[in-house]
């Protein structure tokens, strides 16, 4: 399909046209592209901030505040998580350097392809997926792209066009990796489950660390009806996303179908639950729709925006099943790779998951 056809398709589509791919119940309705005259904004809803120092102090408020924020909207803000915000300042600069010190041809040598559950590698502008003509260049690095365990056979150039970037971004993912078990144990406790039930599955687990480089927006792009990243839900257990310098993230409140503009303090982490979590929590923690829109202030359209979400997965052969303590399970157990690729076939075509059992 040509780019222009993709763009038109993306602009006209509503999420429910793709519901056959979904593996959890999604009742929300939205156009994939933004509809500036037809959308309502919820300016009163505040996504809750949860203080991570409560977890370190063993204060049960952490579990209840995190759990109730996620139950309500699928999003929470984490403050006092202990990661130096200078590292996040550096990270934004490094992402710009990463995309700007390589040519498009260099990047295209690493064009994304599926390896297990995840489409990994480089995604050019307007090619995030076949239904999303997003105005962003993205790059997904999974666990195997980082020398996490000092493997002597690890070869940076297999994944990185400039190998020197790997140690810097590894520092970010290693910092975020330390949050995985505390967050999961807290969510499981809130759900009334054994807190340690996912400890083994999430130790050295797979993840998708995505670098997003949003170039300055041209007038044509702004008029095209596209978006920086169109509405979607994350396909993961949860996503760890440091707050960005340039705003734009919006969250759909399913309860009133209004969008919420989200731009917490720089240094805080945005946390949201995804499809894997909605499945195992039997719909208690929702996989909430979100998108990235052009800045409200028109003078900021000339600014580059970057972000670096880290999506936490289980490995392909794990079975996703509703937590055993939850009554009346709505879903059958399913292999993680089957679950994941069945959903992402809406983005990459029906052939994408045909051989996955
Ligand atoms: Fe997302």
């Amino acid at each position: 399909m040509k780019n222009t056809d993709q763009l038109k398709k993306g602009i006209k589509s509503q999420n429910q046209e793709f519901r056959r791919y979904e593996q959890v119940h999604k009742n929300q309705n939205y156009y994939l592209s933004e509809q500036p005259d037809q959308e309502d904004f919820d300016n009163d809803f505040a996504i809750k901030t949860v203080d991570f120092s409560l977890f370190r102090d063993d204060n049960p408020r952490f579990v209840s505040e995190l759990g109730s924020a996620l139950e309500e909207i699928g999003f929470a803000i984490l403050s006092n998580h202990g990661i130096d915000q200078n590292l996040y300042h550096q990270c934004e600069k490094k992402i710009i350097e990463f995309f700007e010190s390589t040519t498009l041809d260099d990047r295209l040598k690493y064009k994304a392809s599926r390896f297990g559950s995840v489409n990994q590698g480089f995604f050019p502008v307007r090619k995030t997926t076949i239904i999303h003509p997003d105005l962003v260049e993205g790059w997904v690095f999974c666990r195997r792209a980082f020398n996490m365990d000092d493997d002597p056979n690890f070869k940076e150039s297999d994944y990185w066009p400039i190998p020197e970037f790997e140690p810097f971004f590894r520092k970010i993912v290693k910092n975020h990796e330390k949050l995985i078990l505390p967050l999961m144990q807290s969510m499981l406790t809130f759900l009334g489950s054994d807190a340690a039930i996912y400890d083994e599955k999430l130790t050295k687990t797979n993840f998708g660390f995505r670098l997003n480089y949003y170039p300055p927006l041209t007038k044509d792009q702004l008029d095209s009806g596209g978006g920086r990243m169109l509405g979607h839900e994350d396909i993961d257990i949860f996503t760890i996303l440091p707050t960005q310098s340039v705003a734009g993230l919006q969250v759909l409140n399913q309860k009133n179908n209004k969008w919420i503009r989200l731009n917490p303090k720089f240094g805080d982490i945005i946390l949201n639950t995804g499809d894997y979590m909605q499945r195992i929590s039997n719909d208690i923690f929702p996989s909430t729709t979100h998108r990235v829109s052009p800045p409200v202030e028109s003078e900021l359209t000339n600014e580059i925006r970057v972000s670096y979400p880290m999506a936490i997965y289980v490995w392909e052969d794990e079975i996703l099943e509703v937590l055993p303590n939850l009554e009346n399970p709505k879903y059958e157990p399913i292999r993680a790779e089957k679950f994941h690729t069945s959903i992402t076939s809406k983005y990459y075509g029906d052939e994408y998951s045909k051989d996955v059992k």
Side-chain angles (χ1 to χ4, degrees), residues 271-316:
L271 178 74
N272 64 287
T273 39
D275 290 353
Y276 284 47
M277 179 56 93
Q278 184 174 331
R279 180 98 175 194
I280 65 168
S281 73
N282 213 23
D283 290 349
I284 295 174
F285 290 150
S287 180
T288 297
T289 308
H290 53 282
R291 68 185 184 189
V292 179
S293 297
V296 179
E297 301 85 354
S298 55
E299 68 273 15
L300 291 181
T301 55
N302 291 326
E303 288 205 18
I304 295 164
R305 180 183 193 275
V306 295
S307 69
Y308 44 108
M310 180 164 162
I312 309 303
Y313 306 121
V314 289
W315 289 109
E316 283 74 13

Side-chain angles (χ1 to χ4, degrees), residues 56 79-92 168 171-172 175-176 178-179 242-243 265-269 308:
R56 285 193 293 266
S79 64
N80 294 319
H81 45 69
I83 300 167
D84 183 358
Q85 68 163 1
N86 286 323
L87 189 63
Y88 289 159
H89 280 298
Q90 278 177 36
C91 191
E92 292 205 333
F168 176 79
K171 220 177 340 178
I172 303 281
N175 269 290
H176 288 171
K178 288 184 206 144
L179 297 173
T243 302
K265 172 165 109 339
F266 190 87
D268 286 353
I269 287 175
Y308 44 108

Side-chain angles (χ1 to χ4, degrees), residues 43 61 67 137 193 207 256:
N43 297 318
R61 263 179 55 207
E137 286 195 40
S193 167
F207 56 80
N256 57 13

